[in-house]
Amino acid sequence: YKWEEIILIVKKKKICLYFAGVINGEITFSIQDLELLINETSTIVVGSTEPRLPVRVNVTSKHDDILSFNPTFFDTNSSPPWNLVVRGLSPGHDIVSLTADGQQIDVIGLNIDFVGLNLIGFVLYSVFNCGLYWIPSVEAEYFEKNPKGLNPVQLNDIVFSVHAACVTLFTLSQFLIYERGGQTLSLVARILMVVFAVIIIVSFILPFVKVMGWLNFLYICSYIKLAITLIKYIPQAVMNYKRKSTIGWSIGNVLLDFTGGMLNDWASIFGDPTKFGLGLFSVLFDIFFMTQHYILYRQVRLDEKKSSQRNVVERLPSIVKLSPELIVEEKNGSTSPLLLLP
């Protein structure tokens, strides 16, 4: 047979197309085996284990003359499942791949223990600031114990603590949306949170039974905030050490925190143990993280920069073959007809 005659015979036969069932646990196909005639189409349901894809995913193949797809991409604005129409164009061996536009959004480099403890700390700091600034009886109790002192809480302290609590809550919510690399709260973090919760509940009850005043309750909140400030950075520092990288954790946040700490109002800081501890330890840890980012793991950070286009799924071989009389397969980068005798 001449090549043209073989092609003519082939176009009367069926194409068997194979799809993998799962790719990276994110993309699923409704079928694995599909038989198509040349120029015949079939609809395949494409699902995802995620409610939305993190980035736009393109459907491509190595050879444009063997298969065609409609649509050619899945957008992040649409929800699964999607219908993928496949058309057989010609026999051969092809590689179907799903690739992403841009970088995948994730929080893998951010430690969830750090964010969780940070949220509790800023909420307690907000309680302390608002109580001492806006509740007259608490302010009077403070001046009774410090007759020559000044109220250590100013309006900018309230704005800072409330804003920080809201932003940290938003950051923590991203662990529910984006890829987090299997991160969960560690056992140590859970134990600490339970201990803090018990202390706060007991301390909140004591003023009602006249065991202590509300100012002492606010001080207890501030001491817990101080304790959290002492330990909250440790999980992130250990995580950076294990990964030998600071990729995924914002150095910009560290620089802003360091600048804000250095520009703090040191005139009233010694009358507020929370403010003093917050300023001192935050600055020290900021210096440590800058050392990790710019000195210890600088080369790793440069070598591991994410490319603008990242595969979110593995390449998938889709085998296209003909009837038993003829198989056309790819060998060494070229496609050649193989005639099988009965």
Side-chain angles (χ1 to χ4, degrees):
Y1 293 95
K2 294 181 180 179
W3 171 249
E4 293 80 10
E5 294 173 332
I6 294 178
I7 292 297
L8 182 61
I9 295 175
V10 166
K11 287 187 177 181
K12 297 179 181 179
K13 304 297 182 179
K14 290 183 178 180
I15 294 178
C16 297
L17 187 61
Y18 173 78
F19 287 87
V22 179
I23 307 177
N24 267 8
E26 293 183 0
I27 303 296
T28 60
F29 292 107
S30 60
I31 59 174
Q32 285 189 326
D33 296 291
L34 174 66
E35 290 189 355
L36 284 177
L37 294 172
I38 299 295
N39 292 326
E40 185 182 3
T41 61
S42 180
T43 300
I44 300 169
V45 179
V46 181
S48 174
T49 57
E50 300 293 335
R52 287 184 182 274
L53 293 175
V55 289
R56 167 174 151 164
V57 175
N58 298 317
V59 183
T60 59
S61 61
K62 187 175 181 181
H63 302 290
D64 296 334
D65 58 340
I66 295 178
L67 298 172
S68 67
F69 309 98
N70 185 27
T72 57
F73 66 88
F74 302 132
D75 203 347
T76 56
N77 295 326
S78 60
S79 300
W82 304 279
N83 291 328
L84 177 64
V85 179
V86 182
R87 177 186 294 272
L89 301 179
S90 63
H93 179 276
D94 206 351
I95 302 294
V96 177
S97 60
L98 302 180
T99 57
D101 284 341
Q103 295 182 349
Q104 182 176 354
I105 302 175
D106 60 58
V107 290
I108 296 177
L110 183 61
N111 189 274
I112 192 172
D113 290 352
F114 163 74
V115 181
L117 291 172
N118 213 18
L119 177 61
I120 296 175
F122 281 127
V123 169
L124 294 177
Y125 191 38
S126 300
V127 171
F128 174 84
N129 288 334
C130 293
L132 191 54
Y133 188 82
W134 274 319
I135 300 178
S137 60
V138 175
E139 187 178 18
E141 188 178 352
Y142 174 81
F143 285 121
E144 183 180 347
K145 294 183 178 181
N146 303 275
K148 296 183 179 181
L150 298 174
N151 191 330
V153 178
Q154 300 179 14
L155 183 60
N156 64 296
D157 297 316
I158 296 176
V159 174
F160 163 74
S161 57
V162 174
H163 172 266
C166 294
V167 172
T168 306
L169 178 62
F170 174 75
T171 303
L172 185 62
S173 68
Q174 293 180 327
F175 281 87
L176 304 176
I177 302 174
Y178 303 125
E179 173 62 34
R180 60 187 182 188
Q183 281 196 80
T184 58
L185 285 173
S186 66
L187 179 61
V188 175
R190 294 179 185 181
I191 293 175
L192 288 174
M193 291 179 182
V194 171
V195 172
F196 293 151
V198 171
I199 295 175
I200 293 171
I201 293 173
V202 173
S203 301
F204 182 77
I205 295 175
L206 293 180
F208 289 101
V209 296
K210 307 300 181 181
V211 174
M212 67 179 188
W214 286 107
L215 180 62
N216 290 330
F217 168 74
L218 295 182
Y219 274 134
I220 290 175
C221 291
S222 70
Y223 295 148
I224 294 177
K225 164 59 182 172
L226 178 58
I228 290 176
T229 302
L230 289 171
I231 62 177
K232 69 177 183 179
Y233 295 106
I234 296 177
Q236 185 68 57
V238 173
M239 183 177 180
N240 292 345
Y241 170 75
K242 290 181 178 180
R243 297 173 67 233
K244 296 295 187 293
S245 172
T246 57
I247 294 177
W249 194 63
S250 175
I251 188 62
N253 181 65
V254 175
L255 297 176
L256 290 173
D257 190 58
F258 178 78
T259 304
M262 296 303 295
L263 297 178
N264 209 339
D265 182 12
W266 297 98
S268 61
I269 195 171
F270 293 102
D272 185 348
T274 301
K275 186 183 294 185
F276 175 76
L278 178 65
L280 176 61
F281 290 104
S282 293
V283 168
L284 292 177
F285 273 107
D286 288 339
I287 294 174
F288 176 77
F289 282 119
M290 286 188 287
T291 303
Q292 280 190 323
H293 186 78
Y294 290 112
I295 300 177
L296 298 179
Y297 309 135
R298 178 178 180 273
Q299 189 58 43
V300 176
R301 175 171 53 87
L302 296 177
D303 294 340
E304 294 183 2
K305 276 189 176 180
K306 296 178 181 178
S307 61
S308 59
Q309 189 174 51
R310 172 183 176 182
N311 284 342
V312 294
V313 290
E314 297 291 338
R315 285 187 172 269
L316 163 70
S318 296
I319 302 173
V320 182
K321 60 183 180 180
L322 305 178
S323 62
E325 288 82 4
L326 185 65
I327 297 179
V328 177
E329 61 181 1
E330 186 177 72
K331 288 186 177 181
N332 300 325
S334 61
T335 303
S336 59
L338 299 177
L339 183 61
L340 301 184
L341 299 177

